[in-house]
Amino acid sequence: MSSTQPIPVIAIDGPSASGKGTIAQHVAAALGFHYLDSGALYRAVALAALQAGANLENDLELSRIILTLSINFTGDRVAVGGHDVTEAIRDESVSNAASLVATYPKVRKALLARQRGLRQAPGLVAEGRDMGSVVFADAVLKIFLTASAEERAERRYKQLMGKGMNASMTTLLQDIRERDARDSARPVAPLQKCADAVLLDTTGVPVQAVVTQVLALYQKARQAP
Ligand code: C5P
């Protein structure tokens, strides 16, 4: 790669439990790229705010918390202030708080530089809601991954049960619908497919088939003039 070419980014956006994380991690591993789970950043902020007893409606207080927050990714582990929070940030209470704190422009802005800072050679696979639309608008490939709400609730259910955590399908489906509505309706960086993103519906499609498709799309995109 010549030094004038930007470090390639594959942006994978989509709603909660659409399989973004799994697909993005497989694609990153196949290409030897770095991986960014941007949702984990919002979750880490939400957890820190909940633990600090902060007012989740106060965007200024939240953005101050972010300024002093150290968030580190090591492999698939996430640490906040040196404490491993990998499991804690997946709790449903944190999921809901994350979706709320993510509605504030100040919070989003405070996390922008951290996300862009993870764009490192040889490349990055970044997943979230606004990777292709805002954070990495120049991504070489943009994917919008989706699946039916029922299938997504079922995936999350299996994921939580597999980790020995409690879950109810009815509550999960309701939470997913509420989060979808909130993520899509917010005025700043709403969840939406950008015009130049490829839509992939993964309902009933095995993980490996989706990964193969994304890798083929990437090879095609990088050859495009
Ligand atoms: O992807 P995940 O479900 O872990 O994200 C948690 C929450 O963080 C989402 O509900 C969404 O509101 C927010 N988020 C966001 N922008 C991103 C990633 C996540 O607003 N790029």
Side-chain angles (χ1 to χ4, degrees):
M1 196 193 312
S2 95
S3 58
T4 53
Q5 273 182 321
I7 294 168
V9 175
I10 299 177
I12 304 185
D13 290 303
S16 297
S18 56
K20 302 182 305 280
T22 309
I23 302 300
Q25 284 175 58
H26 278 80
V27 170
L31 296 169
F33 280 14
H34 299 279
Y35 162 63
L36 165 62
D37 170 4
S38 61
L41 288 175
Y42 289 92
R43 288 171 180 273
V45 171
L47 179 68
L50 288 172
Q51 286 177 341
N55 177 0
L56 292 187
E57 310 272 326
N58 186 332
D59 58 347
L60 201 62
E61 197 176 337
L62 292 169
S63 50
R64 279 204 199 107
I65 289 179
I66 297 173
L67 283 181
T68 57
L69 206 60
S70 86
I71 306 171
N72 288 299
F73 293 98
T74 315
D76 58 358
R77 310 300 297 176
V78 190
V80 171
H83 297 284
D84 192 303
V85 295
T86 314
E87 277 79 34
I89 60 168
R90 299 292 149 195
D91 190 90
E92 281 303 290
S93 63
V94 178
S95 302
N96 291 325
S99 154
L100 178 62
V101 304
T103 59
Y104 302 119
K106 279 193 178 68
V107 168
R108 306 199 69 84
K109 198 169 163 217
L111 289 176
L112 206 51
R114 287 188 193 221
Q115 295 174 83
R116 291 189 174 145
L118 294 165
R119 182 176 194 160
Q120 286 163 11
L124 177 71
V125 182
E127 54 113 337
R129 304 294 188 288
D130 60 343
M131 298 298 97
S133 57
V134 178
V135 184
F136 303 108
D138 65 339
V140 61
L141 175 64
K142 299 179 186 180
I143 302 283
F144 191 84
L145 212 62
T146 188
S148 70
E150 289 74 14
E151 177 150 334
R152 290 187 282 129
E154 204 177 313
R155 285 178 190 169
R156 181 122 303 164
Y157 180 80
K158 286 184 184 154
Q159 205 178 39
L160 291 172
M161 295 310 268
K163 287 179 182 158
M165 291 161 94
N166 266 337
S168 130
M169 264 299 284
T170 318
T171 314
L172 285 174
L173 185 56
Q174 195 183 330
D175 281 355
I176 276 187
R177 290 204 167 116
E178 277 172 18
R179 271 212 299 282
D180 280 359
R182 189 153 48 198
D183 289 352
S184 308
R186 67 180 178 219
V188 178
L191 169 68
Q192 59 181 24
K193 179 191 160 306
C194 353
D196 53 351
V198 180
L199 176 70
L200 294 183
D201 188 334
T202 69
T203 311
V205 186
V207 168
Q208 200 45 53
V210 183
V211 172
T212 304
Q213 205 174 351
V214 174
L215 289 171
L217 286 165
Y218 174 63
Q219 295 310 337
K220 207 170 134 196
R222 65 198 285 250
Q223 280 156 18

